[in-house]
Amino acid sequence: MKKQKFLNILKDSVLIMDGATGTELQKKKYLKDVVIPEELNIKFPERITDIYSSYINAGADILLANTFGVNSIRLKQHGLLDKANDIVKSGIDLIRKISPKTIVAGDISSIGEYIEPLGGLSFDEAYNSFAMQASLLQKHNADIIVIETMTEIKEMKAAILAAKDNFSGAIIAQMTFAKDGITVTGTDLKSFIAMVESLGVDALGLNCSIGSRDLAELAKILRENTNLPISFKPNAGMPLLINRETCFPETKEEFIESSLKAYSYGVNMFGGCCGTNSEFIKALSDELKNKPPKITKTTNKYFISTRVKAIDINEIKRPAIIGERINPTNRKKLQEELLKGSFSMVKDEARLQSQSGANLLDVNMGVPGADEKKLLTNAVNQIQEIVSTPLCIDSSDTIALEQAVKNCAGKPIINSVNGEQKKLDLILPIVKRYGASLIALTTDDNGIPKTKEERLAIAKKILHFADRYGVESKNIIFDYLVLSVSSSPEQIQETLKAMKESKKLYPECKLVLGVSNVSFGLPSRQTITSTFLKMAVEAGLDFAIINPHEDWTIDDPLAKDLLENKDKGAVRYMDAFSSFKKLSPEVKAEKLPLNKQLYFAVLNGNQESITDIVNQIAVCDTNPFKTVSDNVLEALSIVGEKFASKEYFLPQIIMSAQAAQTAFAIVKTTFKRYKTFSVGKVIMATVKGDMHDIGKNIVGAVLESYGFDVVDMGINVDPRAIIAKAREVKPIAVGLSALMTTTMPEMETVVKLRNAEHVPTKIIIGGAAVTEKFAKEIGADAYAEDAMKTAEYIKALQTEKFAKEIGADAYAEDAMETAEYIKAPQKESGK
């Protein structure tokens, strides 16, 4: 089906999608004798055909082919990569055979691994895996692609790009959110919209995770912030385990009531996810099939975003501040750090500028003799995981620029292009592909024009070629270039006049200036720069590239006269300010003591500075081990509290844990007499048959942030392997995770093996469907509702009573007691 035909149908009629596949396969015991559900397409096609037929008979217009996990990485893990073509072909053909008129959606979902820096998967590896899947869906004539059940925005980006590059039909992007409208990696609804809209999807939506009532309210937020068609596929409530059976509590009537509410908000496509079945789809079809969509229009939005935050430039107070300080130009110390591979100063600048009110951060890594591609990509990866502030990626190196924009987990601004044809031909394709906004300088091969007319002519040329490359004019941000008032006072007014005229000619285009250029070579620069900023805002300025730490409240009449060229030769201004050293005294904060430097380095995830700080402590401190121990663990405790309050998300937890681990590693080598710095070992594993690891990974990261040594055994782990590892490493506890109710019985197997083999460790269980009642039934020692509860329980196990229970020789309340005990002469041998 041609893309436009599908969009025309969607414009005129509400479409009904199918219901759950996975839970129906489980309920009917159709997953027996296959490695993954997608293998049914070629091994037991009659089973998947039964599911397809039930939804077609119920009135579904769109069926998702059974290709959910047919990406190359997952198939390779299961030894089915050579069957990819047959699985996709059969999945599509089975639908066509039953109902040729049904719209066949190729289904794409998560790989199961995070893209760096959250995980070990590169962006290109993820892209290539999705590209294989999308190309097979194209080859076998799927009508549309639905990317669904995604929780990580960078993985969604890779999937969308792969789909657009390899598939000609419409693309629908769906993410999975919690009740509060935030994914597990911190992405909120507006950040989702900003990213997928910028990449050019044809529709967006919500699926899985929560019940219909809560999801309907999230759909309302989507409609208020996008004009794209919206899909809606909720679960039939959150799953419950009753008498060892998975139950979804929502009734058809409740589901339909919420769906009708979503329809009133302007949702275009309706279906169901986990726990729904053909009865739900039949009810949806009876109520909504072929109804005209509700016509709604949102106000004009202009999103720039990161993984966890989207800002609407049209809603914030003008001008939006772009912090300029992440730039090594004329900054020798920053250049030296970058050449050593350290990003400590970069991250400090990002954090401090954000705290000072920067709305965006300009990131420039142009260091002579350095690999800019590597530096810029690393800087983008690290900055966007410690602050939520969107980025303006600044480079004249096209290769470095594209790599950095590709790795940006959001919609950034590219800085910059000008009117030179060669540069336009290089940069505009990058802007189009990655959906970025673009700063366009109104200069060309002939330099900076002297008149407003010449600058506006270059702006017109840039817009012409932007249109030719498919870049919307709203994504062009013009810089009409300000020169120093000390050397070109007549040019200030030309810049302001060009800005005012541009707002009339191209009202959809934003305006930006590097404001500090105006005061170069004059005393009391901030007086001039701040005064000029107010004049530029009056002329229509939307973005200001400035130092956010400076005082931007100054509006000086002498500076204004100078800027309006009423003070020839700057005579009056120089009389007033030539001996003026600083507008206000600069108070330098006293250098923090080393212990506090260590505390804040761990709290902020600043891994690069740890080595130097700990080594200094080793030399200067009378009791270095206690200093390191106390401050690292105090910081990690605060990190845990921030995670619990949702001030921190998984990325911050990981970075603080890594910083702490670096400190631990130094302690182990520098303070050898203390032997170890870990507060204890914990085994984490997803039980046999279960391939889900997001929850386990979050718990592991939180435990590491508390100083525990986590032994992660991965997914699909055999019970005997878990007990064998427990016997080997002697952990404080074993944490077991299961997302699917069908794999929960494996937890009981682990408990029984632990008891039979008398392995002295506690077993904690958790997962979406796991309950405290189930934990008690199987004899587990504890049920962990979330990551923080797990950490608190394991911390509580470190008591003297527990030490006696397992036959330990001593209980040490803290690291120093451990060290003293080990050093002390022993009265008995064999301890």
Side-chain angles (χ1 to χ4, degrees):
M1 177 182 288
K2 296 287 187 182
K3 178 191 292 190
Q4 194 55 52
K5 181 180 179 182
F6 172 76
L7 295 177
N8 288 340
I9 295 171
L10 191 55
K11 183 179 179 181
D12 296 333
S13 301
V14 165
L15 294 179
I16 305 300
M17 307 175 83
D18 59 11
T21 297
T23 52
E24 285 295 281
L25 291 171
Q26 291 175 7
K27 185 171 69 176
K28 296 188 176 191
K29 305 192 184 308
Y30 281 174
L31 293 174
K32 185 179 180 182
D33 301 322
V34 291
V35 179
I36 56 174
E38 294 79 5
E39 194 182 10
L40 291 169
N41 297 355
I42 55 175
K43 198 169 182 181
F44 300 106
E46 68 282 358
R47 298 181 186 175
I48 198 67
T49 297
D50 180 45
I51 305 296
Y52 287 162
S53 298
S54 68
Y55 290 128
I56 290 170
N57 293 334
D61 300 301
I62 302 172
L63 249 66
L64 273 65
N66 188 32
T67 60
F68 184 91
V70 190
N71 58 72
S72 60
I73 292 175
R74 275 187 179 270
L75 289 180
K76 189 175 181 180
Q77 290 170 346
H78 297 295
L80 291 170
L81 185 57
D82 61 333
K83 302 293 184 183
N85 181 74
D86 294 340
I87 290 172
V88 171
K89 183 178 187 303
S90 180
I92 292 171
D93 287 349
L94 289 170
I95 299 175
R96 296 252 190 255
K97 185 176 180 181
I98 305 166
S99 177
K101 293 184 179 180
T102 296
I103 298 170
V104 179
D107 192 6
I108 292 178
S109 190
S110 176
I111 291 169
E113 299 179 39
Y114 284 132
I115 297 174
E116 57 190 7
L118 294 188
L121 196 65
S122 75
F123 188 93
D124 288 339
E125 286 172 330
Y127 169 87
N128 290 335
S129 182
F130 289 129
M132 181 215 76
Q133 189 174 9
S135 64
L136 289 176
L137 293 170
Q138 173 74 18
K139 176 182 177 182
H140 297 297
N141 300 313
D143 294 310
I144 64 174
I145 278 178
V146 175
I147 303 168
E148 66 161 342
T149 324
M150 289 284 194
T151 60
E152 208 283 286
I153 198 69
K154 207 166 176 182
E155 186 177 28
M156 174 64 86
K157 183 176 186 176
I160 292 171
L161 288 172
K164 287 182 70 67
D165 289 345
N166 295 279
F167 186 77
S168 60
I171 297 168
I172 301 171
Q174 297 178 160
M175 285 196 82
T176 296
F177 293 87
K179 183 178 179 179
D180 59 4
I182 299 174
T183 73
V184 71
T185 55
T187 296
D188 64 6
L189 289 161
K190 290 183 181 179
S191 300
F192 165 54
I193 294 168
M195 166 62 81
V196 301
E197 274 196 345
S198 71
L199 293 174
V201 301
D202 301 289
L204 53 80
L206 308 163
N207 82 289
C208 203
S209 184
I210 55 179
S212 63
R213 180 181 299 177
D214 293 326
L215 207 68
E217 296 312 304
L218 300 188
K220 182 180 181 182
I221 297 172
L222 287 190
R223 177 47 73 216
E224 291 168 349
N225 289 279
T226 183
N227 287 315
L228 287 178
I230 294 174
S231 60
F232 180 75
K233 292 194 75 181
N235 289 344
M238 292 298 290
L240 303 173
L241 193 69
I242 301 174
N243 297 326
R244 306 292 181 91
E245 291 288 333
T246 304
C247 298
F248 290 85
E250 275 194 18
T251 64
K252 281 185 303 181
E253 291 73 23
E254 291 169 329
F255 190 85
I256 294 301
E257 181 183 354
S258 299
S259 298
L260 288 172
K261 184 173 287 187
Y263 171 72
S264 73
Y265 297 149
V267 170
N268 308 69
M269 289 171 280
F270 293 85
C273 207
C274 300
T276 63
N277 55 34
S278 58
E279 293 180 9
F280 282 72
I281 303 309
K282 176 66 166 61
L284 274 179
S285 181
D286 290 344
E287 288 285 350
L288 291 168
K289 189 179 178 72
N290 295 326
K291 276 195 173 185
K294 294 289 184 181
I295 304 300
T296 59
K297 279 287 182 181
T298 70
T299 55
N300 187 30
K301 304 290 181 179
Y302 194 103
F303 286 127
I304 304 293
S305 69
T306 60
R307 179 196 309 281
V308 300
K309 181 181 181 181
I311 58 172
D312 182 357
I313 302 302
N314 291 334
E315 288 186 355
I316 66 175
K317 181 181 177 181
R318 286 192 307 131
I321 296 171
I322 303 177
E324 66 184 1
R325 291 186 53 78
I326 305 176
N327 190 327
T329 304
N330 297 323
R331 299 182 67 185
K332 185 178 178 181
K333 187 175 179 181
L334 178 54
Q335 289 186 16
E336 289 173 351
E337 277 213 1
L338 292 172
L339 287 170
K340 293 176 183 177
S342 171
F343 291 86
S344 179
M345 284 185 67
V346 168
K347 291 191 286 188
D348 284 344
E349 288 287 10
R351 191 178 295 110
L352 291 171
Q353 288 186 100
S354 298
Q355 291 170 356
S356 291
N359 302 109
L360 298 98
L361 300 173
D362 190 74
V363 183
N364 184 306
M365 291 288 110
V367 180
D371 182 347
E372 188 175 352
K373 174 183 172 182
K374 183 178 180 181
L375 280 182
L376 192 59
T377 301
N378 284 342
V380 165
N381 276 337
Q382 297 199 41
I383 291 169
Q384 65 188 351
E385 302 310 337
I386 63 164
V387 295
S388 61
T389 313
L391 303 184
C392 179
I393 302 175
D394 185 355
S395 178
S396 58
D397 183 328
T398 309
I399 296 173
L401 184 68
E402 180 167 14
Q403 187 68 17
V405 172
K406 179 168 65 177
N407 278 275
C408 183
K411 179 185 178 181
I413 295 174
I414 289 176
N415 187 8
S416 57
V417 76
N418 61 31
E420 296 176 34
Q421 191 62 56
K422 183 179 179 181
K423 290 189 175 180
L424 288 169
D425 291 336
L426 288 172
I427 301 299
L428 286 171
I430 299 174
V431 176
K432 171 62 178 174
R433 176 170 176 74
Y434 298 102
S437 288
L438 173 67
I439 292 176
L441 312 179
T442 53
T443 181
D444 56 17
D445 311 69
N446 300 315
I448 299 176
K450 292 184 178 180
T451 67
K452 70 166 186 172
E453 289 79 12
E454 291 172 297
R455 297 183 198 186
L456 287 165
I458 294 173
K460 184 177 180 180
K461 174 186 176 181
I462 292 170
L463 281 177
H464 170 74
F465 282 97
D467 182 64
R468 180 177 290 185
Y469 279 101
V471 176
E472 293 183 87
S473 57
K474 71 176 184 179
N475 280 323
I476 302 298
I477 305 168
F478 283 121
D479 185 340
Y480 284 99
L481 303 163
V482 61
L483 301 177
S484 172
V485 69
S486 64
S487 60
S488 306
E490 73 288 346
Q491 288 295 303
I492 305 303
Q493 291 306 306
E494 289 299 311
T495 297
L496 296 175
K497 288 175 184 176
M499 291 168 62
K500 290 177 182 177
E501 188 68 18
S502 182
K503 281 293 184 182
K504 295 177 183 177
L505 293 172
Y506 316 119
E508 69 278 12
C509 298
K510 303 296 184 185
L511 301 179
V512 65
L513 283 175
V515 178
S516 60
N517 295 339
V518 74
S519 60
F520 183 78
L522 289 167
S524 187
R525 291 191 62 182
Q526 190 59 23
T527 302
I528 298 171
T529 309
S530 177
T531 302
F532 174 70
L533 178 61
K534 290 173 175 57
M535 296 169 67
V537 170
E538 290 174 1
L541 189 69
D542 298 290
F543 297 90
I545 303 174
I546 60 175
N547 179 351
H549 306 315
E550 300 283 4
D551 181 0
W552 295 99
T553 64
I554 307 164
D555 191 2
D556 187 87
L558 288 176
K560 188 173 182 181
D561 282 349
L562 176 62
L563 291 162
E564 292 177 345
N565 206 18
K566 296 176 182 177
D567 181 11
K568 302 295 182 182
V571 175
R572 295 195 303 276
Y573 183 84
M574 293 299 289
D575 282 346
F577 290 101
S578 60
S579 61
F580 195 91
K581 302 302 180 185
K582 287 185 182 291
L583 185 66
S584 58
E586 184 178 304
V587 180
K588 290 188 176 180
E590 293 182 4
K591 188 176 179 181
L592 289 171
L594 287 169
N595 66 317
K596 287 302 177 185
Q597 289 184 40
L598 178 61
Y599 171 84
F600 283 112
V602 174
L603 183 66
N604 295 321
N606 196 349
Q607 188 177 3
E608 290 88 352
S609 62
I610 291 288
T611 301
D612 182 56
I613 295 170
V614 175
N615 285 338
Q616 288 186 65
I617 290 173
V619 172
C620 304
D621 203 291
T622 56
N623 197 338
F625 187 85
K626 188 174 190 303
T627 298
V628 171
S629 171
D630 290 350
N631 285 278
V632 169
L633 295 178
E634 182 184 356
L636 291 175
S637 179
I638 300 300
V639 169
E641 291 174 11
K642 286 178 178 288
F643 180 76
S645 65
K646 289 202 170 183
E647 184 178 348
Y648 273 17
F649 289 96
L650 182 58
Q652 290 82 12
I653 287 287
I654 291 172
M655 295 184 71
S656 289
Q658 289 172 341
Q661 288 165 358
T662 299
F664 296 164
I666 297 169
V667 168
K668 288 178 182 178
T669 55
T670 306
F671 311 139
K672 290 181 180 177
R673 63 187 178 276
Y674 297 119
K675 300 297 181 186
T676 182
F677 196 71
S678 169
V679 297
K681 292 182 179 180
V682 179
I683 290 174
M684 296 295 300
T686 300
V687 295
K688 185 178 180 181
D690 204 311
M691 305 298 171
H692 299 84
D693 64 354
I694 290 176
K696 171 181 66 64
N697 292 345
I698 294 173
V699 174
V702 171
L703 290 174
E704 286 178 338
S705 80
Y706 275 94
F708 291 101
D709 183 3
V710 174
V711 180
D712 188 347
M713 296 186 70
I715 60 175
N716 191 28
V717 186
D718 185 270
R720 293 196 175 277
I722 295 170
I723 296 304
K725 180 62 71 173
R727 191 183 297 107
E728 175 191 341
V729 304
K730 299 177 174 59
I732 296 172
V734 172
L736 302 179
S737 174
L739 184 68
M740 303 185 299
T741 54
T742 53
T743 60
M744 285 169 54
E746 295 294 332
M747 294 175 161
E748 186 172 13
T749 303
V750 176
V751 173
K752 287 180 177 178
L753 278 173
R754 186 273 310 266
N755 296 342
E757 299 186 20
H758 306 290
V759 177
T761 188
K762 301 289 185 180
I763 292 179
I764 311 165
I765 66 171
V770 177
T771 63
E772 187 168 10
K773 181 173 179 288
F774 178 73
K776 290 178 179 177
E777 285 177 358
I778 68 171
D781 298 285
Y783 158 68
E785 184 179 353
D786 54 32
M788 293 307 301
K789 294 273 176 52
T790 308
E792 291 302 322
Y793 176 76
I794 294 176
K795 285 167 64 181
L797 290 177
Q798 293 170 291
T799 61
E800 190 166 8
K801 179 181 178 182
F802 178 66
K804 291 177 180 178
E805 286 177 354
I806 64 171
D809 297 290
Y811 163 69
E813 184 175 354
D814 55 29
M816 285 306 302
E817 282 193 16
T818 305
E820 293 303 321
Y821 176 81
I822 294 172
K823 287 193 300 180
Q826 302 298 304
K827 296 180 180 180
E828 301 176 32
S829 61
K831 297 293 186 186

mmCIF file of all heavy atoms in Angstrom, residues 580-597:
data_model
loop_
_atom_site.group_PDB
_atom_site.id
_atom_site.type_symbol
_atom_site.label_atom_id
_atom_site.label_comp_id
_atom_site.label_asym_id
_atom_site.label_seq_id
_atom_site.Cartn_x
_atom_site.Cartn_y
_atom_site.Cartn_z
ATOM 1 N N PHE A 580 37.446 51.614 34.264
ATOM 2 C CA PHE A 580 36.540 50.670 34.947
ATOM 3 C C PHE A 580 37.070 49.254 34.772
ATOM 4 O O PHE A 580 37.181 48.767 33.660
ATOM 5 C CB PHE A 580 35.135 50.794 34.337
ATOM 6 C CG PHE A 580 34.057 50.154 35.173
ATOM 7 C CD1 PHE A 580 33.383 50.891 36.135
ATOM 8 C CD2 PHE A 580 33.714 48.832 34.981
ATOM 9 C CE1 PHE A 580 32.386 50.302 36.886
ATOM 10 C CE2 PHE A 580 32.708 48.243 35.726
ATOM 11 C CZ PHE A 580 32.046 48.992 36.684
ATOM 12 N N LYS A 581 37.431 48.622 35.839
ATOM 13 C CA LYS A 581 38.042 47.281 35.754
ATOM 14 C C LYS A 581 36.992 46.180 35.612
ATOM 15 O O LYS A 581 37.063 45.343 34.748
ATOM 16 C CB LYS A 581 38.897 47.015 37.003
ATOM 17 C CG LYS A 581 39.994 48.037 37.206
ATOM 18 C CD LYS A 581 40.915 48.095 36.018
ATOM 19 C CE LYS A 581 42.009 49.116 36.224
ATOM 20 N NZ LYS A 581 42.849 49.280 35.021
ATOM 21 N N LYS A 582 36.027 46.217 36.482
ATOM 22 C CA LYS A 582 34.971 45.204 36.422
ATOM 23 C C LYS A 582 33.678 45.833 36.910
ATOM 24 O O LYS A 582 33.681 46.705 37.759
ATOM 25 C CB LYS A 582 35.305 43.976 37.279
ATOM 26 C CG LYS A 582 36.383 43.082 36.690
ATOM 27 C CD LYS A 582 36.548 41.840 37.534
ATOM 28 C CE LYS A 582 37.647 40.944 37.003
ATOM 29 N NZ LYS A 582 37.311 40.333 35.740
ATOM 30 N N LEU A 583 32.584 45.367 36.353
ATOM 31 C CA LEU A 583 31.291 45.905 36.753
ATOM 32 C C LEU A 583 31.012 45.607 38.225
ATOM 33 O O LEU A 583 30.477 46.416 38.954
ATOM 34 C CB LEU A 583 30.175 45.308 35.893
ATOM 35 C CG LEU A 583 28.793 45.885 36.136
ATOM 36 C CD1 LEU A 583 28.751 47.344 35.719
ATOM 37 C CD2 LEU A 583 27.748 45.107 35.366
ATOM 38 N N SER A 584 31.395 44.433 38.666
ATOM 39 C CA SER A 584 31.227 44.052 40.058
ATOM 40 C C SER A 584 32.367 43.130 40.417
ATOM 41 O O SER A 584 32.879 42.410 39.564
ATOM 42 C CB SER A 584 29.884 43.351 40.282
ATOM 43 O OG SER A 584 29.796 42.219 39.456
ATOM 44 N N PRO A 585 32.827 43.169 41.648
ATOM 45 C CA PRO A 585 33.960 42.326 42.022
ATOM 46 C C PRO A 585 33.619 40.853 41.859
ATOM 47 O O PRO A 585 32.518 40.429 42.168
ATOM 48 C CB PRO A 585 34.207 42.665 43.500
ATOM 49 C CG PRO A 585 32.901 43.238 43.971
ATOM 50 C CD PRO A 585 32.300 43.923 42.793
ATOM 51 N N GLU A 586 34.572 40.117 41.332
ATOM 52 C CA GLU A 586 34.377 38.680 41.131
ATOM 53 C C GLU A 586 34.876 37.948 42.355
ATOM 54 O O GLU A 586 36.054 38.014 42.704
ATOM 55 C CB GLU A 586 35.147 38.227 39.896
ATOM 56 C CG GLU A 586 34.912 36.763 39.556
ATOM 57 C CD GLU A 586 35.647 36.353 38.286
ATOM 58 O OE1 GLU A 586 35.431 36.983 37.247
ATOM 59 O OE2 GLU A 586 36.443 35.418 38.353
ATOM 60 N N VAL A 587 33.991 37.296 43.033
ATOM 61 C CA VAL A 587 34.344 36.572 44.247
ATOM 62 C C VAL A 587 34.638 35.126 43.893
ATOM 63 O O VAL A 587 33.757 34.404 43.419
ATOM 64 C CB VAL A 587 33.203 36.642 45.284
ATOM 65 C CG1 VAL A 587 33.589 35.884 46.545
ATOM 66 C CG2 VAL A 587 32.897 38.096 45.601
ATOM 67 N N LYS A 588 35.871 34.728 44.093
ATOM 68 C CA LYS A 588 36.239 33.339 43.784
ATOM 69 C C LYS A 588 35.915 32.442 44.975
ATOM 70 O O LYS A 588 36.303 32.698 46.097
ATOM 71 C CB LYS A 588 37.732 33.247 43.467
ATOM 72 C CG LYS A 588 38.102 33.892 42.144
ATOM 73 C CD LYS A 588 39.550 33.591 41.785
ATOM 74 C CE LYS A 588 39.896 34.155 40.423
ATOM 75 N NZ LYS A 588 41.294 33.878 40.045
ATOM 76 N N ALA A 589 35.205 31.404 44.681
ATOM 77 C CA ALA A 589 34.868 30.448 45.739
ATOM 78 C C ALA A 589 36.130 29.738 46.200
ATOM 79 O O ALA A 589 36.991 29.392 45.396
ATOM 80 C CB ALA A 589 33.864 29.434 45.209
ATOM 81 N N GLU A 590 36.244 29.532 47.504
ATOM 82 C CA GLU A 590 37.392 28.796 48.020
ATOM 83 C C GLU A 590 37.383 27.373 47.495
ATOM 84 O O GLU A 590 36.325 26.774 47.317
ATOM 85 C CB GLU A 590 37.354 28.770 49.548
ATOM 86 C CG GLU A 590 37.553 30.131 50.168
ATOM 87 C CD GLU A 590 37.560 30.054 51.678
ATOM 88 O OE1 GLU A 590 37.478 28.912 52.196
ATOM 89 O OE2 GLU A 590 37.648 31.084 52.308
ATOM 90 N N LYS A 591 38.569 26.880 47.205
ATOM 91 C CA LYS A 591 38.666 25.520 46.684
ATOM 92 C C LYS A 591 38.132 24.538 47.720
ATOM 93 O O LYS A 591 38.450 24.601 48.892
ATOM 94 C CB LYS A 591 40.123 25.193 46.362
ATOM 95 C CG LYS A 591 40.282 23.867 45.645
ATOM 96 C CD LYS A 591 41.732 23.642 45.266
ATOM 97 C CE LYS A 591 41.886 22.299 44.562
ATOM 98 N NZ LYS A 591 43.290 22.033 44.204
ATOM 99 N N LEU A 592 37.299 23.648 47.268
ATOM 100 C CA LEU A 592 36.714 22.657 48.176
ATOM 101 C C LEU A 592 37.795 21.739 48.725
ATOM 102 O O LEU A 592 38.745 21.393 48.014
ATOM 103 C CB LEU A 592 35.674 21.823 47.442
ATOM 104 C CG LEU A 592 34.363 22.507 47.067
ATOM 105 C CD1 LEU A 592 33.563 21.596 46.154
ATOM 106 C CD2 LEU A 592 33.562 22.833 48.310
ATOM 107 N N PRO A 593 37.669 21.308 49.990
ATOM 108 C CA PRO A 593 38.605 20.299 50.500
ATOM 109 C C PRO A 593 38.474 19.002 49.709
ATOM 110 O O PRO A 593 37.436 18.732 49.112
ATOM 111 C CB PRO A 593 38.178 20.123 51.963
ATOM 112 C CG PRO A 593 36.789 20.650 52.024
ATOM 113 C CD PRO A 593 36.683 21.710 50.990
ATOM 114 N N LEU A 594 39.524 18.191 49.729
ATOM 115 C CA LEU A 594 39.568 16.985 48.902
ATOM 116 C C LEU A 594 38.405 16.043 49.176
ATOM 117 O O LEU A 594 37.859 15.423 48.257
ATOM 118 C CB LEU A 594 40.900 16.256 49.116
ATOM 119 C CG LEU A 594 42.126 16.931 48.490
ATOM 120 C CD1 LEU A 594 43.396 16.263 48.993
ATOM 121 C CD2 LEU A 594 42.050 16.871 46.970
ATOM 122 N N ASN A 595 38.029 15.906 50.445
ATOM 123 C CA ASN A 595 36.929 14.973 50.740
ATOM 124 C C ASN A 595 35.632 15.426 50.078
ATOM 125 O O ASN A 595 34.860 14.611 49.568
ATOM 126 C CB ASN A 595 36.752 14.816 52.255
ATOM 127 C CG ASN A 595 36.280 16.099 52.928
ATOM 128 O OD1 ASN A 595 36.776 17.185 52.617
ATOM 129 N ND2 ASN A 595 35.359 15.980 53.857
ATOM 130 N N LYS A 596 35.387 16.746 50.026
ATOM 131 C CA LYS A 596 34.179 17.247 49.383
ATOM 132 C C LYS A 596 34.288 17.163 47.863
ATOM 133 O O LYS A 596 33.294 16.946 47.168
ATOM 134 C CB LYS A 596 33.899 18.691 49.819
ATOM 135 C CG LYS A 596 33.395 18.790 51.245
ATOM 136 C CD LYS A 596 32.106 17.974 51.413
ATOM 137 C CE LYS A 596 31.581 17.975 52.835
ATOM 138 N NZ LYS A 596 30.417 17.085 52.995
ATOM 139 N N GLN A 597 35.518 17.337 47.343
ATOM 140 C CA GLN A 597 35.704 17.134 45.903
ATOM 141 C C GLN A 597 35.323 15.705 45.517
ATOM 142 O O GLN A 597 34.678 15.473 44.495
ATOM 143 C CB GLN A 597 37.157 17.413 45.512
ATOM 144 C CG GLN A 597 37.555 18.869 45.571
ATOM 145 C CD GLN A 597 38.972 19.077 45.081
ATOM 146 O OE1 GLN A 597 39.406 18.466 44.106
ATOM 147 N NE2 GLN A 597 39.715 19.942 45.771
#
